[in-house]
Amino acid sequence: MEALYLLIPLSTALVFLAIWIFFRASDGGQFDDLEGPALRILHDDDTALVQSSAAPSPPSS
């Protein structure tokens, strides 16, 4: 029974700490764009490499 006197305030403090961390992350913009980084990996950036390698190289003397 004496353990409850310690565990109840600790668990309450832990819940309030988790809520504070969540709201701090939310106010900091952590959850603003959830889809952008996931979709960015699908874009193919190889077209820039193909166009630059297809361009003629300058003549060497």
Side-chain angles (χ1 to χ4, degrees):
M1 186 69 174
E2 292 83 20
L4 290 178
Y5 293 130
L6 179 66
L7 291 177
I8 290 175
L10 282 178
S11 63
T12 304
L14 184 65
V15 166
F16 282 121
L17 178 68
I19 290 171
W20 179 75
I21 289 173
F22 172 75
F23 279 111
R24 176 130 180 175
S26 179
D27 288 340
Q30 183 71 30
F31 306 114
D32 283 349
D33 185 17
L34 296 177
E35 294 179 6
L39 295 176
R40 194 175 306 134
I41 193 72
L42 299 175
H43 292 288
D44 192 16
D45 291 340
D46 290 341
T47 56
L49 294 175
V50 170
Q51 290 173 353
S52 66
S53 65
S57 60
S60 59
S61 48

